[in-house]
């Protein structure tokens, strides 16, 4: 059966653990995997800018022996120059897998209906699952098992937050989220996560007070107040989110050895201060580096396992 990597909600505990194990082992012993995708071709089709995700999948493919073709947003112009169904069928004739970054999650779902090759979600408005594989790997490296930790996400209930919710609810972690009113994660996602939590013992808590959410946290995570595609709301959001900033004062409520994470790109002085992102608790650039191992694990998982 063809394997897609579109949302963590479609993955079991064992499958996510397998991906994490693969990422870890590929990081430690890259030479053992260098021919695994020999002769394969990977399409990288992005509707939005990217530094980390593009690099992780481009280099990841290369280091596994595959080559890749990157399509700029302008040259394909999904759904405008050409129908999504026609792009999906055309690319399926050339490539072995396609890594897709889209504005709308529906574009990925539509693409998947017509694609005969595996699809990787490289970020949509709803989810960012490849990011979260790297994030959990990072948390495990610094802090050990998820179910013994208090992890707190401060900010927008966005794509990164949604994928964190699925990961924690399936893996059985404790995730606390504090967002301004009107910007909490979607109820559908919380309900779905609630079903996973019944099996995993995970807990997803939505807390109004940032301080309460941060108290005694082992891990603090934040993301931009304004995601790509929502730029017209930027000024309004700066005002709504101003009290949802990870700064030294907020950090002082967390455990002394708490780590700070951010998927990047960061907006210094908005969701995170210079002193925190450049401070000794910050692991953001190691987190960014782990994107490479997560990307390699995902490519190997969909094409070889
Ligand atoms: N974190 C992340 O996905 O970064 P890019 O948008 O640069 O790929
Ligand atoms: N939530 C952000 C993540 C960027 C990696 C966005 O969608 O722009």
């Amino acid at each position: 059966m063809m394997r897609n990597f579109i949302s963590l909600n479609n993955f079991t505990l064992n499958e996510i653990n397998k991906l994490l194990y693969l990422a870890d082992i590929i990081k430690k012993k890259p030479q053992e995997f260098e021919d695994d995708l020999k002769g394969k071709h990977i399409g990288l089709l992005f509707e939005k800018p990217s530094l980390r995700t593009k690099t992780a999948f481009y280099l990841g493919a290369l280091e596994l022996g595959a080559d890749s073709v990157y399509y700029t947003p302008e040259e394909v112009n999904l759904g405008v120059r050409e129908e999504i169904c026609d792009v999906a069928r055309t690319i399926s004739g050339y490539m072995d897998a396609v890594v897709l970054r889209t504005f709308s999650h529906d574009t990925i779902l539509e693409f998947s209906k017509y694609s005969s090759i595996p699809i990787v979600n490289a970020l949509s408005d709803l989810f960012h699952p490849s990011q979260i594989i790297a994030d959990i790997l990072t948390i495990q490296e610094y802090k050990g098992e998820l179910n013994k930790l208090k992890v707190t996400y401060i900010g927008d209930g966005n794509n990164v937050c949604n994928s964190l919710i699925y990961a924690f609810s399936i893996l059985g972690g404790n995730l606390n989220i504090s967002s301004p009113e009107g910007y909490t994660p979607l109820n559908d996602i919380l309900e779905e996560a609630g079903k996973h939590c019944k099996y995993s013992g995970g807990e997803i808590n939505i807390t109004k007070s940032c301080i309460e959410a941060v108290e005694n946290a082992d891990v603090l995570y934040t993301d931009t107040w304004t995601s790509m595609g929502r730029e017209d709301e930027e000024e309004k959001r700066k005002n709504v989110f101003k009290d949802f900033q990870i700064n030294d004062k907020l950090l002082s409520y967390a455990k002394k050895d708490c780590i700070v994470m951010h998927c990047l790109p960061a907006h210094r002085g908005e969701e995170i201060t210079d002193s925190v992102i450049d401070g000794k608790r910050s692991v953001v650039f190691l987190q960014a580096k782990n994107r490479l191992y997560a990307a390699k694990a995902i490519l190997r998982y969909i094409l070889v396992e």
Side-chain angles (χ1 to χ4, degrees):
M1 204 186 69
M2 193 174 79
R3 271 184 174 154
N4 289 322
F5 183 80
I6 293 179
S7 167
L8 293 176
N9 193 33
N10 307 325
F11 284 75
T12 63
L13 168 72
N14 283 346
E15 287 168 336
I16 298 179
N17 276 333
K18 171 89 195 187
L19 280 163
L20 290 164
Y21 169 78
L22 265 177
D24 180 54
I25 192 92
I26 286 173
K27 179 174 181 175
K28 288 176 179 146
K29 299 179 176 174
Q31 65 289 349
E32 289 186 12
F33 300 86
E34 61 195 13
D35 290 328
D36 281 5
L37 299 190
K38 205 169 174 189
K40 304 262 190 225
H41 310 295
I42 314 293
L44 306 172
L45 183 46
F46 283 48
E47 288 189 324
K48 299 173 183 174
S50 172
L51 169 61
R52 283 144 289 268
T53 313
K54 176 183 167 181
T55 311
F57 281 100
Y58 177 87
L59 273 187
L62 188 71
E63 290 183 10
L64 291 170
D67 56 36
S68 51
V69 177
Y70 172 70
Y71 303 96
T72 63
E74 298 74 31
E75 68 194 344
V76 176
N77 213 352
L78 260 181
V80 178
R81 181 170 184 263
E82 208 169 341
E83 298 285 337
I84 295 166
C85 58
D86 293 337
V87 177
R89 285 183 284 212
T90 303
I91 288 200
S92 295
Y94 301 135
M95 300 292 168
D96 295 286
V98 62
V99 179
L100 270 180
R101 171 168 285 198
T102 62
F103 283 98
S104 164
H105 192 67
D106 287 343
T107 301
I108 298 189
L109 298 179
E110 175 79 359
F111 199 104
S112 72
K113 279 197 225 155
Y114 299 97
S115 170
S116 55
I117 56 173
I119 293 170
V120 175
N121 178 355
L123 180 148
S124 66
D125 59 347
L126 272 188
F127 301 115
H128 196 6
S130 71
Q131 172 73 50
I132 273 52
I133 297 298
D135 297 343
I136 305 288
L137 178 71
T138 309
I139 294 173
Q140 289 177 338
E141 283 176 347
Y142 279 93
K143 293 284 167 196
E145 283 316 303
L146 223 50
N147 59 11
K148 300 196 171 67
L149 303 173
K150 177 175 178 180
V151 179
T152 295
Y153 175 93
I154 300 288
D156 191 18
N158 62 15
N159 44 10
V160 168
C161 182
N162 290 340
S163 288
L164 279 171
I165 290 171
Y166 279 150
F168 276 71
S169 61
I170 296 167
L171 294 171
N174 173 356
L175 179 66
N176 299 274
I177 299 165
S178 187
S179 315
E181 226 174 294
Y183 296 86
T184 49
L186 295 172
N187 281 336
D188 286 359
I189 290 177
L190 292 171
E191 275 171 27
E192 194 66 18
K195 292 183 202 157
H196 296 306
C197 285
K198 282 200 185 120
Y199 289 99
S200 67
E203 252 184 68
I204 311 294
N205 301 311
I206 308 288
T207 314
K208 270 199 180 152
S209 149
C210 274
I211 294 178
E212 204 180 300
V214 169
E215 260 167 353
N216 288 320
D218 298 280
V219 179
L220 283 189
Y221 195 125
T222 191
D223 183 17
T224 181
W225 293 339
T226 306
S227 286
M228 291 180 277
R230 295 199 173 260
E231 288 79 4
D232 57 333
E233 298 171 18
E234 192 170 346
E235 284 315 307
K236 180 182 167 205
R237 282 171 174 262
K238 274 186 190 165
N239 190 40
V240 173
F241 281 86
K242 63 181 187 314
D243 297 329
F244 290 76
Q245 180 190 63
I246 301 195
N247 50 37
D248 290 320
K249 176 143 196 289
L250 191 62
L251 187 56
S252 71
Y253 291 95
K255 281 192 183 154
K256 289 279 162 277
D257 60 352
C258 168
I259 56 167
V260 176
M261 301 177 69
H262 191 309
C263 59
L264 301 173
H267 303 79
R268 289 166 174 258
E270 293 183 19
E271 74 273 6
I272 194 162
T273 57
D274 285 331
S275 59
V276 173
I277 196 170
D278 297 329
K280 62 177 193 299
R281 313 270 191 89
S282 167
V283 300
V284 301
F285 298 105
L286 294 158
Q287 178 188 359
K289 190 163 183 236
N290 275 343
R291 297 294 309 281
L292 173 63
Y293 314 112
K296 290 173 81 170
I298 294 162
L299 289 175
R300 189 180 192 283
Y301 185 79
I302 59 167
L303 288 167
V304 179
E305 290 291 316

